Amino acid sequence: LTLSWDPWARGQLYEFQVGQSYCVDRRPLGVRGRLQQVVTSGFANPLIRAVLEGTHEIGCDEDRRQRALDALGKAGLNDVQVRAGASAIATQSLAMVQGPPGTGKTRLLAEILHTLCSAGCKIVLSAFTHRAVDNALLALRRRAPDLPLFKLGAKKDEALQRAGVRSINPRRGGL
């Protein structure tokens, strides 16, 4: 048995006490093991499996798409952004928008979120990084100054606070 530090511990140090019992995680911690776990989990979900295999049928509510085209057309977006946003709003399952930096993806996201919130939808936004969530929230705040916005996270960000985005610490509650 080899005892080593967890490379994903993010600076946390654990002091082990003599005479105490500890649970040892014997799963592989390497990148290969993590990637295998992600792929296995992804293919276990029928929707994600169909998307990854290219067999997913994209459903579209045509009435919703038309309403989205009308709403987004008034937002000052270009034609490609309007069509992409309307497709995202009208889909029954999944929409992906991709493009190089500076092409308006965050602005489009803010317009989509504003359109959905204006229709009474409640939205949860998730991203791979805190910065991506912050950028989306700030773009949405510029688009919708009176929309109540909350960010779930322990750290308070000054730019978000100035923009009126409430920070909620998940360990302390507050919603």
Side-chain angles (χ1 to χ4, degrees):
L1 177 66
T2 303
L3 181 62
S4 61
W5 293 107
D6 181 353
W8 290 279
R10 297 183 184 167
Q12 300 171 359
L13 296 178
Y14 300 98
E15 294 192 25
F16 296 102
Q17 304 295 321
V18 176
Q20 296 292 322
S21 296
Y22 298 96
C23 177
V24 177
D25 185 354
R26 298 183 311 182
R27 292 178 294 176
L29 294 176
V31 172
R32 182 176 179 190
R34 300 281 174 145
L35 287 174
Q36 286 175 338
Q37 185 180 26
V38 166
V39 171
T40 302
S41 300
F43 276 94
N45 180 303
L47 174 61
I48 295 174
R49 180 184 188 110
V51 169
L52 293 174
E53 291 176 339
T55 59
H56 175 64
E57 294 288 329
I58 298 174
C60 178
D61 180 323
E62 200 51 48
D63 290 336
R64 191 182 326 158
R65 184 178 165 284
Q66 190 56 53
R67 289 191 308 270
L69 284 169
D70 295 342
L72 294 172
K74 299 173 188 171
L77 299 170
N78 66 40
D79 187 52
V80 173
Q81 289 172 315
V82 170
R83 288 193 323 252
S87 294
I89 290 172
T91 187
Q92 299 294 331
S93 59
L94 177 71
M96 288 188 251
V97 176
Q98 66 178 18
T103 56
K105 295 178 299 296
T106 303
R107 171 143 187 261
L108 174 60
L109 177 61
E111 293 295 342
I112 291 169
L113 295 174
H114 177 260
T115 301
L116 291 170
C117 290
S118 296
C121 297
K122 295 185 189 296
I123 307 294
V124 174
L125 171 68
S126 175
F128 189 69
T129 65
H130 286 284
R131 174 177 262 168
V133 171
D134 294 351
N135 288 342
L137 287 171
L138 290 170
L140 182 55
R141 173 54 72 224
R142 286 189 294 274
R143 178 60 180 96
D146 298 324
L147 186 66
L149 298 176
F150 301 89
K151 181 179 180 190
L152 189 63
K155 291 173 78 175
K156 292 190 183 243
D157 181 273
E158 288 183 30
L160 291 176
Q161 284 182 318
R162 282 193 305 272
V165 176
R166 284 189 49 200
S167 180
I168 306 295
N169 185 328
R171 295 187 177 124
R172 295 193 178 134
L175 259 180

